[in-house]
Amino acid sequence: MTTEQQPRAQWLGRWGFVLAATGSAVGLGNIWKFPYMTGEHGGGAFVLVYLVCILAVGVPVMMTEIAFGRRGRGSPIDAVRRVVTESGRSSAWSLLGWMAMLCGFMILSFYVVVAGWSFSYLWKMLSGGLNGSGVDDMVAIFVANNENPFNLGFWSTLVTLATMLIVGKGVQAGIEKSVSWMMPGMVVMLLILIGYGVFSGGFGEAWRFLFSFNTGSLSSEGMLAALGHAFFTLSLASGAILTYGSYLPAGASIGRTTFSVAIADTLVALMAGLAIFPIIFANGMSPEGGPGLLFMSLPLAFQAMPLGTLFGILFFVMLSMAALTSSISMVEATVSWLVDNKGITRRTAAWGTGIVLWLVSTLAMLSFNLGADWTLAGRHFFDWLDYLTSRWMMPLGGLGMVLLAGFVLKSESFREELGLAPYWHALWLFMVRYVSPLGILVIFVDALGIARLEFGVHWPWLLAVLALITLVGELLSPRLRRTLAG
Ligand code: PFF
């Protein structure tokens, strides 16, 4: 059933969902990870593959998640349970909702540590704590920042507090209100930073680094990275988008809103590259991955430039806001589940979740100092959280959702909820049945280390397998034919 006992909160404004979901999607992944991945894996060729992954896997999964949320009008656990029981299927499928909720919580447990770096660097910029003359000084500052658990813990605690403060205020007064000024603010800051980059002298080089079509450096590893990143950057299978979808008003088009979010997310990622790399290149530095780019090279580059401190402050304000609008989306699933099922107020739910989050994230934070030697199978707790969520839980959750929607549940539910024209619906169905699952399986094959797929060689094979699975699938199930018939 789509009805429930108490009216559920809904986004107030027309743009409420798009802003909040874009806020969730645009985060550290866009600003920190994407620009570097692009440069590393072949520039324009990588961007193209990434767009294909967003379209073939990201968009269909996102549409499915939003449809689950709006039809089930609840947290991932409740929404999935309601939608599957509506189709007369076992409520055990709600395990998918549990996994999504846990996944969002686990991501947040390490995300607040990285967001804490951003906050602490903002403070360093403001207070002049980043004065150093070379790369070595910057490395020393970064190491010192991590080495002291009280310092690092202070910043991640601050992020946790800010997150819970916003979420505790509610969907409209907390989340919607904060994203409605943070998201436009972020874009304006990004544009100013791009403008600054244009005058820095490194813009041409940055443009070539990001967009020159260099197919030679596009490896199968790059393609896998693009596929995995599509999940992370669109906040999929982590309960965030599904829960935000549960507040979507009935009349809104799921297809259109999904495209808006995916396009905005991709644009911001590309803009971030055009803001960061000109500054790096103008100072004769080489782009590097990981924390080095944002927390060592960039502060050093800002120092060497006119008005650098001012623009450095702007950069870290923008990064902190991007992180915060993502953080709030990761706990919303848990908080809404507690409110709906445990009879407690939103404020209590938020602070209760915050305490548990604080404990787990403190463990993650200790991976950088006291717990530097605590490893399991070569990974710190921090790395385990990242590995389990991005390599396993997100793809597995996404796979479960699309298979449920594609093969298991009544087609009427999704036809009604998505409200697409027949040919668009058929395309969506083809994607969730065959293309997205195949894409996700490729991630698993790689994660399991069964085989290192070489796409360059296996392209025709992959297409042949897709055609074969489609054929068999359609012979076994008449749904797609019915869909095509309208
Ligand atoms: N999409 C965010 C980013 O690119 O930084 C990360 C994220 C947010 C992942 C929310 C999962 C989530 F539920």
Side-chain angles (χ1 to χ4, degrees), residues 86-148:
E86 179 194 41
S87 282
R89 300 292 171 162
S90 160
S91 57
W93 283 104
S94 61
L95 272 178
L96 275 178
W98 279 102
M99 188 167 74
M101 201 169 90
L102 186 66
C103 183
F105 188 88
M106 283 167 69
I107 295 177
L108 188 54
S109 305
F110 71 87
Y111 206 84
V112 292
V113 181
V114 183
W117 285 343
S118 177
F119 277 70
S120 70
Y121 269 66
L122 173 60
W123 174 246
K124 283 186 202 303
M125 277 276 173
L126 283 166
S127 62
L130 278 173
N131 289 330
S133 50
V135 177
D136 290 346
D137 292 332
M138 288 298 138
V139 174
I141 291 174
F142 188 71
V143 170
N145 197 38
N146 282 343
E147 235 167 23
N148 182 347

Side-chain angles (χ1 to χ4, degrees), residues 191-233:
L191 286 172
I192 295 175
L193 284 161
I194 293 176
Y196 184 62
V198 169
F199 292 106
S200 69
F203 195 78
E205 202 178 337
W207 186 273
R208 280 190 297 280
F209 182 69
L210 285 170
F211 298 117
S212 62
F213 216 83
N214 189 359
T215 32
S217 53
L218 183 63
S219 60
S220 47
E221 203 182 322
M223 297 204 188
L224 274 170
L227 203 54
H229 191 63
F231 266 92
F232 188 79
T233 192

Side-chain angles (χ1 to χ4, degrees), residues 3-351:
T3 51
E4 56 165 24
Q5 307 84 340
Q6 286 164 7
R8 192 169 178 75
Q10 287 198 357
W11 302 110
L12 194 60
R14 199 166 116 67
W15 294 99
F17 174 81
V18 174
L19 279 176
T22 306
S24 170
V26 170
L28 297 166
N30 300 59
I31 298 167
W32 177 19
K33 222 168 154 195
F34 180 82
Y36 174 74
M37 282 166 85
T38 304
E40 176 83 327
H41 294 296
F46 177 83
V47 173
L48 206 67
V49 171
Y50 171 79
L51 286 178
V52 171
C53 294
I54 292 282
L55 285 177
V57 182
V59 166
V61 174
M62 194 186 244
M63 285 172 72
T64 310
E65 268 201 48
I66 300 173
F68 263 107
R70 187 167 72 180
R71 194 156 187 90
R73 290 275 183 227
S75 67
I77 301 169
D78 296 328
V80 173
R81 198 193 52 246
R82 285 190 193 119
V83 176
V84 293
T85 41
E86 179 194 41
S87 282
R89 300 292 171 162
S90 160
S91 57
W93 283 104
S94 61
L95 272 178
L96 275 178
W98 279 102
M99 188 167 74
M101 201 169 90
L102 186 66
C103 183
F105 188 88
M106 283 167 69
I107 295 177
L108 188 54
S109 305
F110 71 87
Y111 206 84
V112 292
V113 181
V114 183
W117 285 343
S118 177
F119 277 70
S120 70
Y121 269 66
L122 173 60
W123 174 246
K124 283 186 202 303
M125 277 276 173
L126 283 166
S127 62
L130 278 173
N131 289 330
S133 50
V135 177
D136 290 346
D137 292 332
M138 288 298 138
V139 174
I141 291 174
F142 188 71
V143 170
N145 197 38
N146 282 343
E147 235 167 23
N148 182 347
F150 292 104
N151 173 60
L152 199 57
F154 170 79
W155 294 106
S156 52
T157 304
L158 198 68
V159 179
T160 307
L161 285 175
T163 304
M164 296 309 166
L165 200 69
I166 297 174
V167 174
K169 283 192 174 161
V171 178
Q172 290 175 358
I175 300 175
E176 188 167 358
K177 201 166 163 198
S178 61
V179 295
S180 65
W181 64 268
M182 280 206 264
M183 293 312 290
M186 240 193 74
V187 172
V188 170
M189 285 187 255
L190 205 49
L191 286 172
I192 295 175
L193 284 161
I194 293 176
Y196 184 62
V198 169
F199 292 106
S200 69
F203 195 78
E205 202 178 337
W207 186 273
R208 280 190 297 280
F209 182 69
L210 285 170
F211 298 117
S212 62
F213 216 83
N214 189 359
T215 32
S217 53
L218 183 63
S219 60
S220 47
E221 203 182 322
M223 297 204 188
L224 274 170
L227 203 54
H229 191 63
F231 266 92
F232 188 79
T233 192
L234 291 182
S235 312
L236 298 177
S238 318
I241 295 297
L242 194 154
T243 311
Y244 278 4
S246 74
Y247 307 129
L248 188 64
S253 153
I254 291 182
R256 229 170 284 149
T257 41
T258 301
F259 270 100
S260 312
V261 175
I263 290 171
D265 182 67
T266 306
L267 280 180
V268 170
L270 292 171
M271 282 162 69
L274 289 178
I276 295 169
F277 289 128
I279 301 168
I280 296 290
F281 288 133
N283 287 279
M285 295 173 173
S286 66
E288 53 173 324
L293 183 63
L294 295 195
F295 300 107
M296 293 172 212
S297 309
L298 208 57
L300 195 60
F302 275 127
Q303 269 186 50
M305 298 173 74
L307 296 177
T309 307
L310 186 66
F311 287 96
I313 291 170
L314 205 63
F315 179 82
F316 284 107
V317 170
M318 181 205 63
L319 187 66
S320 304
M321 286 196 333
L324 206 55
T325 54
S326 294
S327 302
I328 55 179
S329 74
M330 292 182 222
V331 276
E332 179 55 23
T334 308
V335 171
S336 93
W337 180 76
L338 287 171
V339 171
D340 291 346
N341 293 280
K342 300 291 166 204
I344 52 177
T345 63
R346 176 170 265 274
R347 214 168 283 268
T348 314
W351 292 114

